[in-house]
């Protein structure tokens, strides 16, 4: 539960750093995010390239990358992505449930991450 307490602060810091005009030159916008996905039940690990604004499915999850940015090579490495994750379940008559919405970081996946009983989602990189 510790990461839930600092998640809003981390999200605000990420938005400030990425969207601040003075610091905007130090972040590069990406067109897609490379995510590592773990199904905890089957121990299946998958890698998925998710384009911006296009929902992708993994199991019962529907993942949308709203924004993805990375630092240039001469800066300390970091990738940040704003994800929206919905659990659509197995029953099409039930409405999807949003299970996560926020910033995730490749260098610190535990700071702000999806807490789901079956799946883990980790940001690997933001790609052009």
């Amino acid at each position: 539960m510790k990461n839930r307490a600092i998640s809003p602060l981390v999200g605000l810091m990420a938005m400030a750093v990425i969207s601040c005009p003075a610091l905007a030159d130090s972040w590069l916008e990406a067109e897609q995010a490379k995510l590592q996905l773990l199904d905890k039940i089957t121990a299946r690990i998958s890698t998925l390239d998710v384009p911006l604004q296009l929902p992708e499915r993994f199991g019962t999850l529907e993942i949308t990358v709203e924004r993805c940015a990375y630092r240039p090579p001469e800066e300390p490495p970091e990738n940040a992505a704003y994800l929206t994750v919905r659990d659509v379940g197995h029953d099409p008559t039930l409405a999807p449930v949003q299970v996560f919405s926020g910033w995730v970081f490749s260098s610190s996946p535990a700071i702000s991450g999806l807490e789901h009983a079956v799946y883990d989602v980790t940001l690997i990189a933001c790609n052009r």
Side-chain angles (χ1 to χ4, degrees):
M1 285 305 232
K2 283 191 235 177
N3 62 359
R4 282 223 186 269
I6 61 174
S7 292
L9 176 61
V10 170
L12 288 174
M13 289 172 27
M15 288 188 297
V17 169
I18 293 174
S19 62
C20 174
L23 300 173
D25 293 337
S26 65
W27 288 90
L28 303 171
E29 293 293 324
E31 297 173 4
Q32 66 180 5
K34 181 180 284 292
L35 302 175
Q36 179 176 316
L37 306 145
L38 168 66
D39 182 325
K40 297 175 191 177
I41 305 299
T42 64
R44 183 181 77 178
I45 297 174
S46 301
T47 303
L48 188 61
D49 290 318
V50 182
L52 294 181
Q53 308 299 322
L54 294 175
E56 289 283 337
R57 289 283 304 261
F58 179 75
T60 62
L61 298 183
E62 180 182 83
I63 304 165
T64 305
V65 178
E66 306 292 338
R67 183 146 187 226
C68 200
Y70 60 97
R71 302 294 302 260
E74 61 273 5
E75 298 287 331
E78 182 63 277
N79 297 276
Y82 191 87
L83 304 179
T84 302
V85 182
R86 299 182 331 154
D87 194 336
V88 296
H90 295 290
D91 186 352
T93 62
L94 297 177
V97 176
Q98 183 166 317
V99 293
F100 181 79
S101 180
W103 288 95
V104 293
F105 304 92
S106 61
S107 66
S108 304
I111 288 179
S112 173
L114 170 69
E115 292 183 15
H116 194 274
V118 179
Y119 303 107
D120 275 341
V121 177
T122 305
L123 175 66
I124 296 173
C126 293
N127 303 320
R128 276 237 172 250

